[in-house]
Amino acid sequence: MSEVLVKPLRLVRSRTYLWAAGGVVLLALPFYLDRFWLQAGLFAMAAAIGAIGINLLTGATGQLSMGHAFFLAVGAYGYCVFAADGGDGLTGLGLPTWLAAVLATLVAGAAGGLFSPISGRLSGAYLGIATLALVFIGQHVMFNAHDLTGGANGRDVPPLSLFGLTFDDRELLVAAVPFGSAEKLWYAGLVLLAAGALFARGVLRGRPGRAMNAIRDHRIAAGVLGVPVARHRAAVFVLSSMYAGLAGVLLALVFQRTVPDYFGITLSLEYLAMIVIGGLGSVSGAVAGAVFVSLLPQLLTRYSDALPLVSAPGTGGIAPGEASRYLYGAAVVLVVLFLPGGLVGAAARRHVRPRSGEIHPGEER
């Protein structure tokens, strides 16, 4: 077998072994980590699901959205409305929680579908401003529709039940290790993230992905070539909204309470930072950026006593949340200036190096 074929095979095998080892580690973590780290990981998983959705919309199709937080809120509160039994005086339909999660995701997609005619007519900064209005509308509804949202105090989130297993804090012994809500939700989060990532990867590698990239690079030329631009843009907006709704459901289950303040403009900006830092148009880039942005404030909070200039709010230093925004804001600037492909693009360039005498595409002899 020629050397040209052997090297790609070795690369595929090494990646397969790496993914397998990573999967085993992720499956084993609940047996060794405490609740803080498991919750941090769950927040990262939820953020990754939402980031994959906005990367399909903004990174792959070129539709700027600043309203992602609105669709996360639709998913989170939709799950509460569908799953709650109304015993707390708030509206609740009392549906099975697994069905409530599915319906909440579909409702988020439907909300994106209602907005898609507007997204089909606007582009660039105009679309970003229009989607920003969704966040303000959502904030008004969440604070004032008390029967649905509980107002400023939010509402409790019913625990998920699936196949007779309830994902709550009642301990379940597994191999002599007590499993609470965080341990149980860990595996649910892994399944949802893996399914969402594989589906998005299939979309990007197939004909829809090529059409999305054509629309992003040159919308008029894509239309001339026969790509149904309006239909694709609407479909991607719906799909992105469904990813956001699913992320909102997982976040609600982890927090165990939904509050309106969380679903503000800051959250939407954080999702844009995730995909820029990780790499636009890449599923793995969305996951990497989500892990970076979502874990940074939690790590700063955890180790604020040992870090210079960072301290608890009200003690004279920089609060961990504020410090994290400075850091990933600086990361966005550095990525835009020096790593236009994001973290994943930089890693890919390191692994693909030409041998002596070879030339990169576009280079001249």
Side-chain angles (χ1 to χ4, degrees):
M1 187 177 296
S2 66
E3 185 180 355
V4 176
L5 295 177
V6 169
K7 287 191 174 181
L9 286 175
R10 288 176 179 172
L11 183 60
V12 170
R13 287 178 182 174
S14 62
R15 287 181 177 177
T16 302
Y17 294 148
L18 185 62
W19 279 107
V24 171
V25 170
L26 289 174
L27 291 174
L29 285 179
F31 292 93
Y32 300 98
L33 298 183
D34 60 24
R35 187 179 183 89
F36 169 83
W37 292 108
L38 291 176
Q39 285 190 332
L42 284 166
F43 291 143
M45 291 180 198
I49 293 172
I52 290 172
I54 196 172
N55 217 0
L56 291 173
L57 182 67
T58 301
T61 317
Q63 294 179 271
L64 176 63
S65 173
M66 299 181 67
H68 214 53
F70 171 79
F71 299 106
L72 270 92
V74 172
Y77 280 101
Y79 172 79
C80 294
V81 171
F82 288 125
D85 57 8
D88 54 0
L90 302 177
T91 302
L93 302 181
L95 298 176
T97 52
W98 65 267
L99 179 60
V102 173
L103 292 177
T105 304
L106 293 176
V107 168
L114 292 175
F115 189 80
S116 61
I118 299 176
S119 69
R121 291 176 175 271
L122 301 175
S123 61
Y126 298 102
L127 178 59
I129 294 171
T131 54
L132 182 61
L134 291 174
V135 177
F136 296 118
I137 294 171
Q139 288 281 294
H140 178 77
V141 172
M142 284 184 283
F143 277 108
N144 293 281
H146 186 274
D147 290 342
L148 287 175
T149 66
N153 295 324
R155 64 182 297 172
D156 292 329
V157 179
L160 179 68
S161 294
L162 187 64
F163 302 125
L165 176 65
T166 302
F167 295 74
D168 57 9
D169 284 322
R170 287 179 292 182
E171 290 186 353
L172 172 69
L173 287 179
V174 178
V177 176
F179 269 40
S181 61
E183 288 82 2
K184 299 171 189 174
L185 284 172
W186 179 270
Y187 294 105
L190 282 179
V191 171
L192 293 176
L193 176 56
L198 289 174
F199 181 81
R201 189 178 182 184
V203 169
L204 290 175
R205 290 190 171 189
R207 292 181 62 185
R210 292 192 291 271
M212 291 156 58
N213 292 336
I215 294 170
R216 177 197 61 198
D217 295 336
H218 205 299
R219 180 167 56 91
I220 296 176
V224 171
L225 292 174
V227 176
V229 175
R231 189 172 68 189
H232 272 84
R233 294 182 70 175
V236 174
F237 208 99
V238 171
L239 182 60
S240 174
S241 303
M242 291 178 68
Y243 271 91
L246 181 59
V249 172
L250 184 56
L251 276 174
L253 291 170
V254 177
F255 273 122
Q256 299 181 357
R257 188 170 185 85
T258 56
V259 289
D261 287 332
Y262 180 76
F263 302 99
I265 181 60
T266 301
L267 183 61
S268 291
L269 294 177
E270 287 178 354
Y271 273 98
L272 289 176
M274 291 175 194
I275 61 175
V276 171
I277 293 172
L280 291 171
S282 165
V283 173
S284 55
V287 175
V291 170
F292 177 81
V293 173
S294 62
L295 289 185
L296 187 59
Q298 299 180 69
L299 293 176
L300 291 178
T301 302
R302 177 84 168 189
Y303 299 107
S304 59
D305 295 337
L307 296 173
L309 304 178
V310 179
S311 60
T315 58
I318 302 175
E322 187 178 358
S324 66
R325 294 189 184 100
Y326 291 150
L327 289 175
Y328 65 66
V332 168
V333 174
L334 292 175
V335 166
V336 170
L337 290 177
F338 303 109
L339 300 173
L343 298 177
V344 171
R349 283 194 294 273
R350 286 189 62 184
H351 284 89
V352 181
R353 293 181 176 178
R355 292 177 299 176
S356 177
E358 290 184 350
I359 20 180
H360 287 294
E363 286 184 338
E364 296 180 358
R365 293 185 181 275

